[in-house]
Amino acid sequence: MSVDALPSAERGLSRRLVEIVVALALMGLAGLVLWDSYGRGAGWEGGPQNGYFPARVGWLLMIAAAFALISAVRARRREIFVTWEQLRQVARVFVPLLLFVLGVAYLGIYISSLLFMALFMLTVGSFRLWTVAAASVLVPLVIFWVFEIQFLVPLPKSPFVATLGF
């Protein structure tokens, strides 16, 4: 079935486009590996230099990605890789997780965990407000007690938590 004949709910990213983007991303990664390898020395002077083996892997990755790119560009199939609705469901999980990871650097792990759990439980789950409040406060407190107090393993903290003396 052609993409144009699909109902709007069944439309999304084509497999061909996804394959092209992934092949280009892999070629970019291979380029970075090669650039770094040759910067370290990728030759053989009395033995392999630091970048010798990574350069060989980089070239293999570049060649494989080039073949994948050529194959994707030449393909005439028009099948859907992922529908827009499926992509929205992935984004509902991925975007909050990305914000959590970025938040750890600025807010510390405890406050970021509290916000992540509360927002995720409210938006994705169907929990009562008291359950959200209890879980999002108690879990970071338990993690703090286990890691900071019991195991003496410091985790990233916000300036607010640091002012409490920990």
Side-chain angles (χ1 to χ4, degrees):
M1 178 180 281
S2 114
V3 172
D4 299 328
L6 291 173
S8 62
E10 293 295 321
R11 293 191 182 174
L13 292 176
S14 72
R15 179 176 171 178
R16 181 174 183 250
L17 175 65
V18 171
E19 288 178 356
I20 289 170
V21 169
V22 169
L24 289 172
L26 288 174
M27 290 177 85
L29 178 64
L32 285 173
V33 168
L34 290 169
W35 178 73
D36 185 61
S37 297
Y38 283 100
R40 295 174 185 269
W44 190 286
E45 295 177 16
Q49 292 179 315
N50 289 340
Y52 181 81
F53 292 108
R56 283 12 179 216
V57 172
W59 280 115
L60 288 173
L61 181 59
M62 182 68 79
I63 292 166
F67 275 108
L69 179 63
I70 291 167
S71 173
V73 168
R74 295 177 70 195
R76 295 291 171 224
R77 61 183 173 266
R78 295 177 51 99
E79 59 196 68
I80 297 297
F81 178 74
V82 64
T83 66
W84 295 119
E85 182 57 35
Q86 291 169 334
L87 206 53
R88 257 191 294 297
Q89 290 175 349
V90 170
R92 284 181 67 189
V93 174
F94 180 73
V95 171
L97 187 60
L98 179 65
L99 292 174
F100 167 73
V101 170
L102 294 174
V104 168
Y106 300 103
L107 302 174
I109 198 160
Y110 303 112
I111 294 175
S112 293
S113 296
L114 184 145
L115 294 172
F116 173 73
M117 286 184 62
L119 292 174
F120 201 83
M121 289 175 77
L122 288 171
T123 58
V124 176
S126 56
F127 298 95
R128 294 186 185 120
L129 194 55
W130 70 269
T131 306
V132 172
S136 60
V137 169
L138 288 176
V139 169
L141 285 175
V142 168
I143 291 172
F144 178 82
W145 180 76
V146 168
F147 285 97
E148 301 278 343
I149 296 173
Q150 297 302 312
F151 293 148
L152 300 175
V153 175
L155 297 177
K157 292 180 234 15
S158 69
F160 171 73
V161 175
T163 59
L164 297 176
F166 292 99

